Amino acid sequence: LLDCSESMNEEYVPRKREPDLKAKDTRDKGQTVVVKPEKKDERSAPDGKQQRGQVKKKKKNVVTRISVAKRELKEVIQRFKDTHRVDILRFNSLTTDFVATAFPDEGKKLPQLTPKVREAANAFVEQSKAEGLTDLLKVLRQALEYSEVDTVYLLSDGAPTVGVVTHV
């Protein structure tokens, strides 16, 4: 499951681990990290909003969260054995199913990782763009519609922002 929400366009900043902390203290506690907003540039209106028709200036040499997720997902796909069966679901406000898109004749059956499937999967991942909101529950439900699913990998940067967003 590949999060393609707009927040994945933000800069990827690796976490710093403190060497003296025990492993149990460094686990992710499910918190969402808020990135400080960029400073206003000279093209911004007095209220800080982008003026119409102007393109937001990107920092050079910035590694985005989506680029890291895409790189990691493609590496995982390459490491899987040919006997493995996979699907990739890109999600934001909407969900795009790799198998349904690339192999519509398969129905709800996952294809084995042949060279053709790997190539199509890598192309599918590479086409991913960050936009929209994060609808996590919807994509999890869709992933579990395949009876063959026994493992789900989730590449995301935070909490859901649409659909079910309450924390219990």
Side-chain angles (χ1 to χ4, degrees), residues 52-64:
R52 192 168 209 219
Q54 293 183 347
V55 178
K56 189 174 181 179
K57 192 175 181 181
K58 286 189 174 184
K59 294 180 188 177
K60 289 186 178 183
N61 301 324
V62 170
V63 177
T64 62

Side-chain angles (χ1 to χ4, degrees), residues 73-82 84 113 118:
L73 182 52
K74 289 190 297 188
E75 186 175 316
V76 167
I77 292 167
Q78 293 311 314
R79 290 177 182 242
F80 280 144
K81 296 177 183 174
D82 291 343
H84 285 132
L113 275 173
R118 284 181 204 274

Side-chain angles (χ1 to χ4, degrees), residues 120-139:
N122 284 328
F124 182 81
V125 170
E126 198 53 45
Q127 293 168 359
S128 303
K129 294 182 284 188
E131 55 194 6
L133 302 173
T134 309
D135 195 345
L136 186 56
L137 182 59
K138 181 173 136 185
V139 74

Side-chain angles (χ1 to χ4, degrees), residues 76-94:
V76 167
I77 292 167
Q78 293 311 314
R79 290 177 182 242
F80 280 144
K81 296 177 183 174
D82 291 343
T83 57
H84 285 132
R85 296 180 176 277
V86 299
D87 191 10
I88 302 163
L89 299 176
R90 294 189 305 225
F91 71 98
N92 47 42
S93 306
L94 305 171

Side-chain angles (χ1 to χ4, degrees), residues 8-93:
M8 294 292 282
N9 267 333
E10 298 292 328
E11 181 178 5
Y12 170 71
V13 181
R15 283 194 220 188
K16 294 179 182 172
R17 290 188 171 231
E18 308 236 354
D20 58 335
L21 293 177
K22 294 181 181 175
K24 69 177 185 171
D25 295 333
T26 60
R27 283 184 297 170
D28 185 1
K29 305 270 190 289
Q31 297 173 335
T32 301
V33 178
V34 178
V35 178
K36 293 179 184 176
E38 294 181 24
K39 293 181 181 177
K40 298 178 195 176
D41 66 16
E42 60 278 355
R43 295 175 298 167
S44 298
D47 62 359
K49 293 183 179 178
Q50 193 93 16
Q51 290 192 10
R52 192 168 209 219
Q54 293 183 347
V55 178
K56 189 174 181 179
K57 192 175 181 181
K58 286 189 174 184
K59 294 180 188 177
K60 289 186 178 183
N61 301 324
V62 170
V63 177
T64 62
R65 296 170 184 171
I66 190 111
S67 65
V68 171
K70 287 164 55 171
R71 181 187 69 221
E72 294 296 321
L73 182 52
K74 289 190 297 188
E75 186 175 316
V76 167
I77 292 167
Q78 293 311 314
R79 290 177 182 242
F80 280 144
K81 296 177 183 174
D82 291 343
T83 57
H84 285 132
R85 296 180 176 277
V86 299
D87 191 10
I88 302 163
L89 299 176
R90 294 189 305 225
F91 71 98
N92 47 42
S93 306

Side-chain angles (χ1 to χ4, degrees), residues 7 51 53 164:
S7 62
Q51 290 192 10
V164 177

